[in-house]
Amino acid sequence: MPYQEDFAVEQFMDKYETNVKYNMGETCCYSLSLDDIEKLSGNKFNLDSSMRLTYRDIKGSDELRDMIAAVHGKELTRDNVLVSNGAIASNYLLYYTLVGKGDHVICIDPAYSQLYSVPAMFGAEVDLLKLEKDNGYIPNLDTLASLIKPNTKLIIINNPNNPLGSVIPNSIMKDICNLCAEHDIYLHSDEVYRPLFHSLPEGFDIPDSACNMYSKAIVTCSMSKAYSVAGIRLGWMITQDKQVLRDAASRRDYNTISVSVVDDRIAQYVLSNANYIIERNMKLCKENYKFLTNFISKHQEDFEYIGTPQGGTVCLLKIKKVKDTYPFAEFLATEYGLLAVPGEAFNFPGTLRIGYGNSIEDLAGGLPILKEATDAWLLKNA
Ligand SMILES: Cc1ncc(COP(=O)(O)O)c(C=O)c1O
């Protein structure tokens, strides 16, 4: 059996998520029910109860794949889309399809660790491209170019970034795509937080989806974060490269067959009301992010953002006086009923990943507790 390291972030979340009072570990915009979506949009969800519950459309229904192609805009169609059980399954499937022994892969760091640990499990040699403060925590092109080897097959990015919330501007994305084209390298862009570009500076263009920018870019995305329906487990892969899509579909036959038809129908309903949901979630993220920023500026002696979050639902918060944030995060969860993910899960000790897209009650209730618990931890460990 190939070695697979533990998925630290998912294991930490799973251990504490259901027992805490305040969840600041959540990465989804505060999740919605079908009733909530009906209230937001005025449109009712109807499931045709006469629909026979067969496997149905293996790649995802035509209607759903049309809608997904439209989300990414431009020229792509349903033939460029393959549906999966969340983006996590598309990411896994992509690595299962593209990389193995003898291949070299470059992945940004920090990142959702699936993005580098699964290619390594499939036998690829993985180099991490450290995102640095001096570059605003986005990829530096010269450093990226210096990591390329003759056998580099895949470069992996995440835009907006989990855990930093940094956003790669279109100009840098174009440079990355050109570099990939020059060396004939696939580009995987995990865009699961798209289109939550809620706090871009003035004059910053809305980032385009990488699948529109490069013929060998493969984008993965899902309904979990920006659409607030992680529970339907519906994600996708979208690319101009139909050979990659065919190869991925062929491998997917072995572990998926199809995604639930009920989830497919709910996803269609959600996407047909996407304008209401995205408007709600952009507002939620913007306001909660301001609330968090305000809290940090009042407690600068204790807390500081790593970089400047501009999109998505998460950020890394430096806990200035605490080095070992793993035991601190456990203390927060067990003694204070507050969930925040330790930066150690992202190779970034001394920080906590804060998810601010959850309800304002989680944030407004959790932040004063974070301050109180920090003081208590420092006293305890003085
Ligand atoms: C960067 C990134 N990619 C993929 C996923 C998986 O999300 P899902 O499978 O719910 O679409 C997550 C979840 O946290 C994530 O942060």
Side-chain angles (χ1 to χ4, degrees), residues 140-287:
N140 175 285
L141 212 72
D142 293 334
T143 317
L144 178 58
S146 73
L147 292 174
I148 292 175
K149 298 180 176 183
N151 62 338
T152 304
K153 188 153 188 201
L154 178 67
I155 291 175
I156 302 168
I157 57 171
N158 174 212
N159 195 23
N161 177 277
N162 172 12
L164 291 160
S166 53
V167 173
I168 308 173
N170 281 328
S171 58
I172 305 284
M173 275 303 298
K174 274 187 198 141
D175 290 342
I176 294 173
C177 290
N178 288 339
L179 188 68
C180 287
E182 195 185 313
H183 296 271
D184 195 29
I185 295 170
Y186 291 103
L187 177 67
H188 172 210
S189 180
D190 178 325
E191 299 182 3
V192 82
Y193 295 95
R194 191 177 178 79
L196 297 170
F197 302 108
H198 53 81
S199 300
L200 295 175
E202 282 236 339
F204 197 117
D205 290 338
I206 300 289
D208 197 358
S209 185
C211 58
N212 298 315
M213 304 177 84
Y214 174 45
S215 61
K216 293 181 89 168
I218 303 100
V219 166
T220 52
C221 194
S222 84
M223 307 295 302
S224 299
K225 317 295 182 185
Y227 300 94
S228 294
V229 289
I232 65 168
R233 305 306 304 128
L234 199 134
W236 58 87
M237 180 186 292
I238 178 165
T239 176
Q240 295 173 35
D241 193 321
K242 293 197 179 156
Q243 187 59 49
V244 168
L245 216 61
R246 269 194 295 277
D247 292 347
S250 162
R251 297 206 162 208
R252 179 178 170 278
D253 287 340
Y254 284 99
N255 61 20
T256 303
I257 305 184
S258 63
V259 164
S260 146
V261 287
V262 177
D263 291 349
D264 186 304
R265 294 303 179 272
I266 296 177
Q268 287 180 43
Y269 169 67
V270 171
L271 285 179
S272 66
N273 292 298
N275 50 341
Y276 301 102
I277 297 169
I278 298 296
E279 192 185 328
R280 175 249 198 200
N281 286 342
M282 287 288 271
K283 188 164 173 278
L284 178 75
C285 288
K286 227 186 176 97
E287 289 177 0

